[in-house]
Amino acid sequence: VEIVQVRPADAAEGNAHTHFVGRQWTIHHRLDPEVPCAVTNCSQHDVAPEASMLTRSGSNQETRGMSASLFSLAGRTALVTGSSRGIGLAIAGALASAGARVVLNSRSDSGLAQAAASLLQAGAQVECCAFDVTDAAAVQAAVDGIESRWGPIDILVNNAGIQRRGPLDQFRDEDWRELMATNVDAVYFVGKAVARHMIPRGRGKII
């Protein structure tokens, strides 16, 4: 897992996993599907104060090879909401590089094909499923369909989210409702739908 930008506020708050620019950390994670993710190795060395990269030691190829040996998701299926672009697509790509079959999602088919093509070129196993994460009925139907068509969802990443900004006294109620529906309700709807399948199996990860 590579974290590329550090916020000074995180260091000031004493966040255990983000540290001030000026120190470089190489962190390797191991994910066992039956136990919580744990840090298995962490080394520190000084870098120039102006550096903004947290993990960049040696060759990227060597680092990727080490990560692959510690972090394998071969045979797992991961659903990443809001993954047609941006952070969601990057998360899907990282999971795919670890061996997982990834299911990309957005509200519409627009953009999904292009996103899938970019991952397929890298040799990933990719499926696409368009549904509105703020619609409980649509979410349940989509999750049931994924389970039926492509097998158990082993990992769910609730990535879908939006941002609306403005002065409190001028903020529109409809923007507030849209913000809460996408950033809060959707996590509940998708998590609940996926959990209904994970719990009987006794395994799975929801992020």
Side-chain angles (χ1 to χ4, degrees):
V1 176
E2 188 171 70
I3 305 172
V4 297
Q5 187 65 47
V6 184
R7 298 184 306 156
D10 287 333
E13 293 167 2
N15 189 319
H17 297 291
T18 52
H19 299 267
F20 61 91
V21 173
R23 292 286 183 179
Q24 180 167 330
W25 291 82
T26 303
I27 302 174
H28 303 292
H29 290 275
R30 175 179 180 273
L31 180 66
D32 186 312
E34 301 302 327
V35 298
C37 182
V39 176
T40 56
N41 181 55
C42 182
S43 59
Q44 176 191 9
H45 48 94
D46 294 326
V47 295
E50 64 273 19
S52 63
M53 302 299 290
L54 269 176
T55 57
R56 180 171 287 179
S57 62
S59 70
N60 287 335
Q61 185 174 3
E62 179 183 351
T63 302
R64 288 194 188 97
M66 184 179 297
S67 297
S69 67
L70 296 172
F71 186 88
S72 176
L73 295 176
R76 304 296 187 186
T77 296
L79 168 62
V80 184
T81 65
S83 51
S84 63
R85 58 192 174 91
I87 294 174
L89 181 56
I91 292 171
L95 292 169
S97 69
R101 181 218 298 262
V102 294
V103 180
L104 302 181
N105 157 260
S106 71
R107 292 188 178 187
S108 66
D109 292 325
S110 176
L112 280 179
Q114 183 176 352
S118 68
L119 296 183
L120 287 169
Q121 288 179 352
Q125 301 178 69
V126 187
E127 310 294 349
C128 296
C129 187
F131 62 90
D132 184 352
V133 293
T134 68
D135 183 332
V139 167
Q140 188 65 64
V143 168
D144 291 345
I146 293 170
E147 290 265 340
S148 175
R149 184 173 182 180
W150 298 311
I153 297 172
D154 301 291
I155 304 162
L156 165 64
V157 181
N158 284 294
N159 168 76
I162 61 173
Q163 182 60 283
R164 299 286 184 267
R165 295 182 181 275
L168 178 60
D169 61 325
Q170 301 173 31
F171 205 80
R172 301 188 308 168
D173 290 347
E174 52 267 37
D175 288 339
W176 173 260
R177 286 190 289 269
E178 184 182 15
L179 196 68
M180 292 298 102
T182 305
N183 296 354
V184 179
D185 293 349
V187 176
Y188 166 70
F189 292 150
V190 184
K192 180 179 181 180
V194 171
R196 284 174 170 169
H197 292 275
M198 286 183 173
I199 291 172
R201 289 194 291 266
R203 63 181 175 84
K205 305 296 180 190
I206 295 178
I207 304 167

